[in-house]
Amino acid sequence: MPTLRIGCAVALPCAAVGLTRNGQVVRMKCNAGFALAAVVASFVTGCANVTPTAAPKDDNAVFATPYLMEELDNGLRVIIVKTDFPDIVTLQIPVQTGSRNEVEAGKSGFAHFFEHMMFRGTERFPAQAYGEILQNAGADQNAYTTDDYTNYHVTFTKPDLETVLELEADRFMNLKYSETDFRTEALAVKGEYLKNYANPVQKLIERLREVAFDTHTYQHTTMGFLRDIEDMPNQKAYADVFFDRWYRPEKAAVIIVGDVDPDATLALVKQYWGSWERGDYTVDVPVEPAPSGPRIDHIEWESKTQPWYTVSFRGPAFSDARKDMAAMDVLSSMHFSESSPLYQSIVVEDQLADQLFTWFPDRKDPYLLLVAARLTDPANAAEVRDRIDATLARARTELAPATLVDATTSRLRYAFTSSLDNSASIGDTLAAYVHFDRTPETLNGVFAQYDALTPEDLRRYANQYFVDEGRVTITLSNDPTLPGIDGSGSVDAAITRLAGATGVTVNAPESTAAIVARATRASTTPPAAGAVNLNIVAQPSATSALVDVSFVFGVGAADDPQGKKGLAALTAAMLSQGGSQALPIADIEAAMYPMAAGFAAQTDKEMTRLSGTVHRDNLGDWYALISGQLFTPGWRQSDLERLKTQQINAIRTGLVGNNDEELGKELLYQAIYTDGHPYGSLNLGDVSDIESITVQDVQAFYAQHYTQAAVTLGLAGGFDSAFREQVERDLANLPAGTNTVIAVANVVRSDRRSALVVQKQTPAVAVSFGFPIDVQRGDRDWVALWLARSWLGEHRSSNAHLYQRIRETRGMNYGDYAYIEYFPRGMFQFYPDANLARQQQIFQVWIRPLRTNNDALFATRTAVRELELLIANGLSEADFESSRNYLSKFVSLLTKTQGRQLGYAIDSQYYGTPAFADYVREALAELTVDDVNRAIQRHLSIDGLQFVFISGDADALAAAIASDEPSPITYNSDKPQALLDEDAIIATMPLAIDRASIVRRSASELFE
């Protein structure tokens, strides 16, 4: 039964805006158009003993929540924050060891590898017992490693506080594992490295660090050099030394946030953690010499992808007492966010690139300031380079308007406060700051530096850091070079081209108030007498500072006309990312800039959600902007062309080119729901269809489907009745429409197994398989089947059965999961999104990438065998009870934020169920093991399985499947004879897929 949620350790850019040092909502300081998440920060030990204290009374403090802080005699820093979020508690344990500390040759990546070993148990609580205890607590556990620190975190319900504290203290003091466990986990770590390989940004970051640093340990990524990863199975003796050096109380903090009594909780920490013995190890990290000139390198990428241009500069170390890094944050946001002139120029207007972002992460030592653009054509590279250089030149020569600086600090503050919407997020945020000086006041110090910045400061620091001596250019494309990029880029030269610009003050941008006023004056929407057929889900909160607003329309990809697949998604994009009749999208983004708010779209088969979260201070202005987008769209041809290009690139590059795992999952749905079925196409559509879509197509689709009868209005948080009434009046101006639900015929499960084998240049093999099921949420058997699925393969959980059999016992890959509801974007998140409700679902097993074709076949056979055993034997009473205990508590984590609660409430209306948490808990309470086993017998089968494989050698894999050739595996350590005997059975187990049911396709032809 699942509990532990394992893995992370990458450091990649993401799409969040504003201040981003926490690992939850806004993870990273980056701007515009990139969807990968990562955790960044650093850790500094030290400080004198601290007595229990409370946060100071400071009206300007961004973190003003009272907290209790004490340093124990052994040096452990304890920070306890009581929150008003009921029942939920999070424990965060940042440790001062990251890849920065890996100064010994051959030991790169070891901090991350050891993060994995920390889940291997102790003499008192072996791994299995450890997992069982957390399972019964319904805990959600994970860990991540950064350059500068490693953080362990577990979120649970408050009755289990003492149990979790005792359990975690034991493993931090008494970790113990065997040589076999160590060598097996080393294989899994290599699998983690390979799973990221399909994304070129991972390789860009890896190459950038190798080129930019000569002596500092930042030269290697958190994952480490591949040669060191491959040698990790031989490093057991060093692992013992590593644990003794770094896992010591003076290098750690215990952070507890949630529904707790601080004094009683502190007493528990002292009881269980007070005997942890202090250490004395220190390390001298090599100092990187000053940069001596520009550097350049190029990556020739084998599989089809869009080209990338990146330029980086040596930046400052993090400090909450100096302005350097704060200035970099503000400059990043001002010049590279979606409202910036550069973004509008190269992404929106001229479409030279479809992604532009910065990554200016905080690090213990001076690191890198990265600007990256994904090009729409290789020929655009030199022009994009020159425009980026010109932007940096202006940062060095022109004084930013004070109003823009103020708007940026406002944006950073709102972005930060909006992330503190639950106890787990607050704890995660604290972990990412506390490791600097082991105090929450670091947070307030950072914002004090933001508030103190002047336009002169920004120009001075731009001149200090955006210099050619520290410039590193890394490009990537399918060709040996990127046209026009030969190392000639220069900010100094760009300054020369801006002759006479020094000292010039640029014009102040139009204020949000002025833009909103223009939108309001231009509004031609007449007042309506009242709403017709309007469905509203409202969850007001007098204490919440945030407001979640969702417009969920009963329309989706299932409504796409033949020959226009992708129209639903494109229409939603035009509403959320296009302008209104009154305002172009550039003005809307400029007005939203100080709010750190937006308007996003999610399109599935039967639902399209347009939504946003905004601080209640800005609710009126935000709504004035997005209501124009929704009710009076601009329908500009330029917006359509830009969004069509982005949607096509999301298919060709984002999915097919760079995401083997998600590709396999989506292809499985397409294989099960064939072309004639409403669910038979990708939500994003087909490239040729998208190319044919016109503005008139979008307008007609909008007029037909965006009606009162089709919409559910969702409101949550700190809104008032006047706001609700205003939105209701506006919705009443939509056409009345009819509440029609698209007919979705049951898909008959095939009577024979089939396989799609996709050829793609990739070093690993991704696998998914499944079949359609005739059960949906609200049906009699749904909760029973949901429980069985959780036992078999809870998403991102180390204690689920498939994970234990394939990854934990055999070390074959990174993870193995099972689903009975659609769960897209699974490699980037731990919890499923709401508002993906469907009339039909499939049962699916996702096997994360394997090292070879042979391993892929063995892992597939293992998963099929475990499914067969589950069907034949059912769950035991013990497995049933532990799974039920887990889910009855875990549902609190699934609904831990007001936004998630709102989404689940809307879905409950669709399915006709009570509130999700109540529905699940009540059904679980009445459920028996016999109910679950009957549901397994009724709905699960090994007949008619449909498989999808993504492989670098599809011909060999298809031949092996057709011949059903054995797939024996070998290990890097001794294994029990019982396991070897089982392996012999699995290796020769027939997959029983005949040649006529095996289809081999090239990745380049998919979704075209």
Side-chain angles (χ1 to χ4, degrees):
M1 177 53 238
T3 37
L4 310 183
R5 297 177 179 271
I6 302 301
C8 20
V10 295
L12 294 176
C14 70
V17 293
L19 181 71
T20 55
R21 297 182 184 83
N22 68 80
Q24 192 69 24
V25 177
V26 279
R27 290 180 179 271
M28 184 164 301
K29 291 175 299 186
C30 64
N31 290 295
F34 200 78
L36 293 183
V39 180
V40 293
S42 51
F43 194 116
V44 179
T45 57
C47 301
N49 285 348
V50 179
T51 56
T53 185
K57 299 296 183 181
D58 182 353
D59 292 339
N60 291 321
V62 71
F63 186 75
T65 305
Y67 57 85
L68 180 67
M69 182 165 69
E70 181 171 332
E71 187 168 299
L72 306 189
D73 292 341
N74 60 6
L76 180 67
R77 184 65 58 84
V78 183
I79 299 168
I80 302 170
V81 183
K82 178 176 175 57
T83 67
D84 294 330
F85 302 107
D87 198 38
I88 301 298
V89 182
T90 189
L91 169 66
Q92 309 267 337
I93 311 166
V95 181
Q96 185 194 359
T97 180
S99 55
R100 170 183 177 270
N101 307 116
E102 296 160 357
V103 299
E104 295 153 298
K107 303 299 189 293
S108 71
F110 213 89
H112 164 247
F113 174 54
F114 203 82
E115 170 211 320
H116 286 240
M117 297 313 304
M118 282 291 291
F119 292 91
R120 286 291 178 171
T122 67
E123 286 188 356
R124 185 181 177 200
F125 298 112
Q128 182 176 352
Y130 177 80
E132 289 173 353
I133 293 169
L134 287 177
Q135 161 194 327
N136 279 288
D140 181 11
Q141 186 174 31
N142 197 3
Y144 58 83
T145 306
T146 73
D147 289 325
D148 297 335
Y149 76 109
T150 303
N151 188 45
Y152 300 86
H153 52 99
V154 54
T155 302
F156 50 93
T157 53
K158 66 179 180 180
D160 297 295
L161 173 63
E162 182 171 2
T163 298
V164 171
L165 285 173
E166 179 182 10
L167 200 63
E168 294 298 87
D170 180 64
R171 72 163 170 157
F172 272 77
M173 288 184 258
N174 305 308
L175 182 69
K176 188 172 183 178
Y177 46 82
S178 68
E179 176 85 22
T180 296
D181 289 340
F182 183 87
R183 296 179 72 86
T184 298
E185 194 62 36
L187 295 175
V189 170
K190 183 175 180 181
E192 182 177 353
Y193 179 89
L194 292 175
K195 85 175 177 62
N196 296 321
Y197 196 87
N199 194 309
V201 178
Q202 178 79 23
K203 182 57 67 176
L204 279 166
I205 298 294
E206 183 178 311
R207 184 70 60 84
L208 167 64
R209 293 165 65 134
E210 291 182 28
V211 172
F213 292 101
D214 293 325
T215 61
H216 196 284
T217 46
Y218 288 157
Q219 186 184 59
H220 62 262
T221 67
T222 307
M223 287 294 297
F225 296 120
L226 180 59
R227 61 182 179 271
D228 294 343
I229 295 172
E230 291 176 333
D231 190 51
M232 280 177 180
N234 305 315
Q235 298 291 335
K236 170 66 165 60
Y238 180 77
D240 297 336
V241 173
F242 188 91
F243 182 63
D244 183 69
R245 286 175 175 175
W246 293 108
Y247 283 75
R248 294 290 187 174
E250 77 279 4
K251 295 180 174 68
V254 168
I255 303 168
I256 301 164
V257 181
D259 188 4
V260 298
D261 178 291
D263 292 326
T265 302
L266 178 61
L268 288 173
V269 175
K270 290 179 176 179
Q271 176 183 344
Y272 292 109
W273 295 76
S275 61
W276 195 6
E277 294 184 4
R278 183 191 291 263
D280 59 6
Y281 180 75
T282 59
V283 67
D284 293 324
V285 177
V287 177
E288 183 71 20
S292 57
R295 301 180 180 186
I296 187 168
D297 200 4
H298 177 75
I299 301 169
E300 185 176 358
W301 194 252
E302 290 186 356
S303 60
K304 187 176 180 180
T305 192
Q306 288 173 249
W308 285 89
Y309 170 80
T310 75
V311 62
S312 300
F313 300 87
R314 185 76 60 79
F318 170 82
S319 173
D320 64 346
R322 299 190 309 272
K323 293 181 179 180
D324 303 49
M325 198 63 223
M328 295 300 102
D329 291 347
V330 171
L331 288 167
S332 168
S333 185
M334 285 172 49
H335 292 294
F336 297 96
S337 67
E338 291 186 358
S339 64
S340 69
L342 178 65
Y343 185 94
Q344 291 297 318
S345 168
I346 70 172
V347 176
V348 177
E349 296 169 7
D350 297 334
Q351 299 179 38
L352 303 175
D354 65 352
Q355 291 184 10
L356 173 71
F357 66 87
T358 58
W359 184 35
F360 291 10
D362 298 326
R363 290 293 187 268
K364 165 71 173 170
D365 298 325
Y367 190 67
L368 298 168
L369 310 171
L370 168 72
V371 182
R374 192 173 76 176
L375 309 176
T376 54
D377 190 293
N380 299 338
E383 179 65 23
V384 168
R385 176 201 61 199
D386 291 346
R387 294 194 193 186
I388 291 174
D389 285 350
T391 297
L392 295 171
R394 283 191 290 272
R396 286 179 52 182
T397 58
E398 299 172 354
L399 284 175
T403 52
L404 179 58
V405 179
D406 291 342
T408 303
T409 56
S410 169
R411 169 187 174 86
L412 296 174
R413 186 175 289 265
Y414 278 122
F416 175 77
T417 55
S418 68
S419 71
L420 306 181
D421 62 346
N422 64 88
S423 293
S425 181
I426 294 171
D428 199 52
T429 300
L430 286 174
Y433 279 94
V434 160
H435 68 262
F436 285 106
D437 290 310
R438 302 203 304 171
T439 170
E441 290 312 305
T442 300
L443 280 163
N444 294 325
V446 169
F447 278 87
Q449 297 305 318
Y450 289 145
D451 292 340
L453 285 169
T454 66
E456 291 79 6
D457 289 332
L458 296 176
R459 186 169 66 183
R460 180 171 68 256
Y461 289 121
N463 274 287
Q464 182 174 343
Y465 294 109
F466 297 137
V467 295
D468 290 346
E469 289 82 0
R471 182 189 187 104
V472 182
T473 302
I474 307 291
T475 57
L476 180 148
S477 70
N478 293 130
D479 299 313
T481 62
L482 196 57
I485 305 300
D486 55 5
S488 60
S490 167
V491 180
D492 292 341
I495 291 175
T496 301
R497 290 193 295 270
L498 293 174
T502 303
V504 175
T505 302
V506 298
N507 294 326
E510 188 177 10
S511 68
T512 294
I515 297 173
V516 169
R518 285 200 288 118
T520 303
R521 286 195 302 270
S523 175
T524 58
T525 304
V532 179
N533 296 327
L534 196 59
N535 186 39
I536 301 174
V537 176
Q539 299 177 335
S541 169
T543 60
S544 176
L546 299 178
V547 181
D548 286 281
V549 181
S550 290
F551 302 93
V552 179
F553 289 88
V555 60
D559 297 286
D560 284 342
Q562 194 65 33
K564 301 290 182 181
K565 299 300 183 182
L567 179 56
L570 189 56
T571 302
M574 285 287 282
L575 298 175
S576 62
Q577 300 173 57
S580 62
Q581 290 179 14
L583 300 173
I585 189 61
D587 288 356
I588 293 172
E589 289 172 342
M592 286 191 183
Y593 177 79
M595 309 177 196
F599 194 42
Q602 173 185 275
T603 301
D604 190 40
K605 301 305 183 194
E606 300 182 53
M607 281 185 170
T608 294
R609 182 182 68 201
L610 300 163
S611 63
T613 301
V614 63
H615 196 283
R616 63 188 174 198
D617 293 351
N618 304 314
L619 179 59
D621 287 347
W622 174 83
Y623 181 70
L625 298 168
I626 68 97
S627 60
Q629 291 176 276
L630 178 58
F631 300 118
T632 56
W635 304 133
R636 293 173 179 82
Q637 184 67 35
S638 59
D639 284 334
L640 180 69
E641 294 305 320
R642 167 176 55 89
L643 295 171
K644 284 169 64 172
T645 298
Q646 291 181 0
Q647 193 159 317
I648 290 170
N649 290 344
I651 297 170
R652 285 177 169 167
T653 304
L655 179 62
V656 178
N658 299 341
N659 196 334
D660 297 351
E661 297 181 284
E662 203 72 14
L663 175 60
K665 292 163 63 181
E666 291 294 345
L667 286 172
L668 178 63
Y669 275 92
Q670 193 174 56
I672 290 173
Y673 300 112
T674 55
D675 286 341
H677 192 278
Y679 292 178
S681 61
L682 186 70
N683 286 339
L684 290 173
D686 291 332
V687 169
S688 58
D689 284 6
I690 296 168
E691 290 172 335
S692 73
I693 292 173
T694 66
V695 169
Q696 291 72 30
D697 292 330
V698 175
Q699 290 174 311
F701 192 86
Y702 172 83
Q704 178 181 357
H705 295 289
Y706 283 75
T707 67
Q708 293 179 53
V711 70
T712 296
L713 169 63
L715 300 172
F719 66 91
D720 57 22
S721 59
F723 176 74
R724 171 176 170 162
E725 291 166 4
Q726 179 184 0
V727 181
E728 288 184 49
R729 288 194 300 271
D730 290 340
L731 285 169
N733 287 287
L734 291 175
T738 56
N739 189 15
T740 58
V741 178
I742 193 166
V744 180
N746 287 335
V747 175
V748 178
R749 186 183 306 172
S750 173
D751 59 359
R752 62 179 181 176
R753 296 180 180 181
S754 63
L756 171 63
V757 187
V758 176
Q759 172 64 41
K760 181 176 181 287
Q761 289 299 112
T762 178
V765 185
V767 184
S768 287
F769 70 83
F771 50 82
I773 53 174
D774 186 20
V775 60
Q776 62 174 319
R777 197 183 306 176
D779 289 348
R780 181 187 64 174
D781 286 341
W782 186 84
V783 172
L785 200 60
W786 191 58
L787 184 148
R789 171 242 20 126
S790 183
W791 175 86
L792 182 65
E794 182 71 55
H795 178 74
R796 302 293 291 272
S797 170
S798 71
N799 207 38
H801 189 68
L802 288 177
Y803 186 105
Q804 287 291 317
R805 302 305 298 155
I806 299 173
R807 187 264 173 79
E808 196 76 357
T809 300
R810 295 177 168 92
M812 298 192 70
N813 65 345
Y814 188 64
D816 309 277
Y817 321 120
Y819 309 89
I820 61 168
E821 291 189 325
Y822 185 51
F823 194 149
R825 302 173 288 277
M827 68 182 297
F828 302 127
Q829 60 193 51
F830 292 107
Y831 306 114
D833 291 319
N835 307 139
L836 299 168
R838 298 181 173 191
Q839 297 176 51
Q840 288 193 12
Q841 301 283 356
I842 71 171
F843 172 84
Q844 180 180 21
V845 170
W846 175 25
I847 303 176
R848 305 198 76 173
L850 287 306
R851 294 178 293 269
T852 65
N853 283 346
N854 185 81
D855 282 3
L857 289 175
F858 185 91
T860 302
R861 285 177 160 123
T862 303
V864 173
R865 183 171 189 265
E866 296 300 338
L867 176 60
E868 183 178 21
L869 291 172
L870 173 63
I871 295 168
N873 302 327
L875 288 184
S876 68
E877 185 70 37
D879 287 339
F880 164 74
E881 289 292 348
S882 63
S883 299
R884 180 165 64 171
N885 289 344
Y886 169 77
L887 290 174
S888 64
K889 294 182 178 181
F890 183 66
V891 69
S892 294
L893 306 186
L894 288 175
T895 57
K896 65 185 178 182
T897 68
Q898 75 177 24
R900 295 188 64 80
Q901 291 165 12
L902 178 63
Y904 274 102
I906 294 171
D907 288 345
S908 292
Q909 282 200 351
Y910 175 96
Y911 289 116
T913 66
F916 183 72
D918 295 337
Y919 162 61
V920 167
R921 289 196 183 103
E922 290 170 5
L924 288 171
E926 297 176 358
L927 207 60
T928 68
V929 67
D930 291 337
D931 294 331
V932 174
N933 289 334
R934 278 193 294 269
I936 291 170
Q937 288 287 325
R938 188 177 295 121
H939 299 289
L940 301 185
S941 173
I942 61 168
D943 298 329
L945 292 174
Q946 295 180 271
F947 300 87
V948 175
F949 300 89
I950 315 292
S951 172
D953 191 349
D955 290 337
L957 181 55
I961 294 170
S963 64
D964 237 342
E965 67 181 40
S967 53
I969 62 167
T970 58
Y971 298 102
N972 61 4
S973 61
D974 293 335
K975 293 290 185 181
Q977 187 61 46
L979 181 65
L980 299 178
D981 292 342
E982 182 183 41
D983 286 352
I985 296 171
I986 293 171
T988 58
M989 189 180 81
L991 282 175
I993 305 172
D994 62 43
R995 293 179 183 272
S997 300
I998 301 171
V999 176
R1000 192 268 197 205
R1001 298 185 67 185
S1002 171
S1004 61
E1005 67 187 49
L1006 300 172
F1007 311 119
E1008 290 293 319

